[in-house]
């Protein structure tokens, strides 16, 4: 058994976790920066970087104290090295390098998306490669065929906004504050999913790519018209999002097969989306796997776990590894307009 320290700082959560290769999370801490960014309605990169720098050391101390561990007990230090807001990524990565150097342990520079992509295997030891992954977060919306650690075939991406971004922007239109995804889901419970006619962008198109910018704009127009209750708008938006996901996944599954359908990323916390995906998996005789909610949104356990997976394969990184603002999981995938990558 090996023990890995994981650090996550690519967006607006500062997180630290100690995870072992037997899938035990010894301790974890997350400090959200929601309060710092809320007045601006979105993440402000400079504020994020400063907040990561302030919060990281106390979180590290808390995690070590709770686990009763010291740096010398760690077999490697894993940190998100991209993609994300570069200032924040650098804070986490430079700290990991310092810890690795001080304790003479290897550094594992983790792709944040790989953290999300492998997180279902932390929660479920029986999940084997390959699997079809819907990765839906604030910055990304992709369908990936996960063939192994470091082996990702991107089948689809968004040509404009990520789904989490569309949730957040639509929530902002409805005055729900930031981050809006969970608040919009809650409001949708009181609304009628068929009340407002909203578009299903790219529905039926052969390439299984996504587009959500038009949907978000339609919500904004419908809201301005004053003809609809906010709850109906929220429910109708969520319904349109679900239908887009199902249509695009059906297209991907018509072209590629896998024994399991897996969802990961912050938007995977959405219960309407989870249950729709569960139905789709059953339709295709696939297993459905969704990690517990706390592993869906940004966290450090998934970074430590991706480190465990890489450690098992001996894939260490050098201390001069550079932070990467952009870092596709599938370097061979064609560039698509917009590409759905924030920051
Ligand atoms: O993976 P994540 O924590 O950060 C990124 O890497 O982007 O995802 C955050 C995104 C935000 O856009 C947030 O609104 C969305 O996930 N989200 C949700 C829900 N919970 C979080 N969207 C819809 N329904 C939810 N319950
Ligand atoms: Zn994320």
């Amino acid at each position: 058994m090996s023990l890995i320290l994981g650090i996550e700082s690519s967006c607006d959560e500062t997180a630290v976790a100690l995870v072992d290769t037997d899938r035990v999370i010894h301790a974890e801490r997350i400090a959200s920066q929601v309060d710092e960014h809320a007045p601006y309605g979105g993440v402000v990169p400079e504020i994020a970087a400063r907040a990561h720098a302030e919060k990281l050391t106390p979180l590290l101390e808390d995690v070590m104290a709770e686990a009763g561990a010291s740096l010398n007990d760690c077999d490697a230090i894993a940190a998100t090295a991209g993609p994300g807001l570069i200032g924040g990524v650098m804070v986490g990565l430079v700290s990991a390098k310092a810890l690795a150097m001080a304790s003479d342990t290897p550094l594992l520079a983790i792709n944040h998306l790989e953290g999300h992509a492998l997180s279902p295997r932390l929660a479920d030891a029986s999940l084997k490669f390959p699997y079809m992954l819907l990765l839906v977060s604030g910055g990304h919306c992709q369908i990936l065929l996960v063939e192994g650690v470091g082996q990702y075939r991107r089948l689809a991406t968004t040509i404009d906004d990520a789904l989490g971004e569309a949730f957040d922007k639509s929530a902002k239109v409805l005055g729900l504050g930031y981050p809006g995804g969970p608040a919009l889901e809650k409001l949708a419970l009181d609304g009628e999913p068929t009340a407002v006619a909203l578009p299903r962008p790219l529905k039926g198109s052969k390439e299984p790519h996504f587009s959500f910018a038009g949907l978000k704009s339609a919500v904004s127009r419908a809201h301005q018209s004053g003809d609809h209750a906010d709850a109906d708008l929220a429910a109708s938006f969520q319904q349109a999002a679900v239908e887009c996901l199902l249509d695009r996944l059906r297209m991907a599954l018509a072209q590629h097969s896998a024994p399991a359908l897996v969802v990961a990323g912050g938007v995977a916390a959405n219960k309407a989306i989870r249950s729709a995906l569960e139905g789709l998996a059953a339709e295709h005789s696939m297993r459905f796997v969704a990690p517990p909610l706390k592993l869906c949104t940004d966290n450090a356990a998934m970074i430590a776990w991706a480190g465990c997976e890489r450690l098992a394969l001996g894939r260490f990184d050098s201390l001069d590894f550079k932070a990467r603002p952009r870092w596709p999981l599938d370097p061979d995938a064609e560039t698509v307009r917009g590409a759905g990558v924030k920051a």
Side-chain angles (χ1 to χ4, degrees):
M1 186 271 281
S2 303
L3 191 63
I4 312 285
L5 177 69
I7 297 174
E8 158 61 30
S9 61
S10 67
C11 192
D12 59 348
E13 320 275 0
T14 318
V16 177
L18 256 184
V19 176
D20 73 31
T21 43
D22 289 340
R23 295 182 162 79
V24 177
I25 300 174
H26 292 247
E28 61 183 322
R29 288 285 185 285
I30 297 191
S32 167
Q33 301 174 6
V34 165
D35 293 346
E36 279 100 321
H37 300 291
Y40 306 95
V43 180
V44 182
E46 176 61 24
I47 293 175
R50 280 167 183 251
H52 288 303
E54 280 163 17
K55 292 175 194 227
L56 190 54
T57 305
L59 294 186
L60 275 164
E61 287 169 354
D62 285 357
V63 162
M64 288 304 188
E66 187 185 318
S70 78
L71 210 47
N72 292 329
D73 299 321
C74 298
D75 295 287
I77 314 290
T80 297
L85 300 172
I86 195 69
V89 172
M90 284 170 74
V91 169
L93 183 59
V94 166
S95 305
K97 287 178 180 177
L99 294 171
M101 208 185 276
S103 58
D104 198 22
T105 45
L107 172 76
L108 297 155
I110 305 296
N111 183 320
H112 177 83
L113 300 175
E114 179 165 63
H116 280 302
L118 298 176
S119 65
R121 281 167 52 85
L122 167 57
D124 188 337
S126 69
L127 178 62
K128 304 280 184 259
F129 300 119
Y131 50 87
M132 185 73 77
L133 173 73
L134 174 67
L135 175 51
V136 271
S137 71
H140 298 85
C141 186
Q142 303 187 345
I143 302 173
L144 296 149
L145 196 56
V146 180
E147 294 171 323
V149 178
Q151 290 173 267
Y152 309 98
R153 276 173 72 189
R154 198 202 67 197
L155 307 179
T157 187
T158 173
I159 63 167
D160 41 54
D161 290 354
L163 183 53
E165 198 177 350
F167 263 94
D168 291 338
K169 288 177 176 170
S170 300
K172 199 171 177 180
V173 164
L174 299 176
L176 296 176
Y178 171 86
L184 193 147
E185 176 177 17
K186 192 156 172 267
L187 182 61
L189 292 174
D190 301 325
E192 179 52 56
T194 54
V196 189
L198 294 173
R200 271 71 172 148
L202 293 185
K203 188 169 178 185
S205 86
K206 193 159 179 303
E207 292 282 346
H209 293 315
F210 298 97
S211 168
F212 292 109
L215 179 55
K216 164 209 71 191
S217 308
V219 169
S220 178
R221 282 193 300 276
H223 184 254
Q224 276 164 11
S225 76
D227 295 339
H228 309 285
D230 284 358
D232 285 342
L233 269 168
S236 300
F237 165 83
Q238 189 170 269
Q239 179 63 24
V242 164
E243 283 181 30
C244 290
L245 290 177
L246 292 186
D247 177 71
R248 312 292 56 225
L249 276 164
R250 281 200 180 96
M251 198 59 82
L253 289 168
Q255 295 160 16
H256 304 268
S257 60
L261 176 65
V262 178
V263 64
V267 184
N270 185 287
K271 293 186 191 65
I273 290 175
R274 279 182 180 237
S275 72
L277 295 176
E278 197 168 3
L280 181 73
E283 219 177 82
H284 287 77
S285 305
M286 297 168 84
R287 244 188 97 192
F288 176 63
V289 178
L293 299 189
K294 68 166 190 170
L295 277 181
C296 288
T297 46
D298 285 350
N299 65 89
M302 71 178 190
I303 302 304
W305 174 251
C308 290
E309 298 253 34
R310 296 189 79 84
L311 180 79
L313 299 171
R315 298 202 191 144
F316 304 114
D317 295 288
S318 107
L319 285 177
D320 62 8
F321 194 100
K322 302 261 184 314
R324 300 182 181 175
R326 288 189 174 229
W327 187 0
L329 272 184
D330 177 359
D332 298 329
E334 48 153 347
T335 308
V336 177
R337 180 165 55 98
V341 182
K342 275 197 302 193

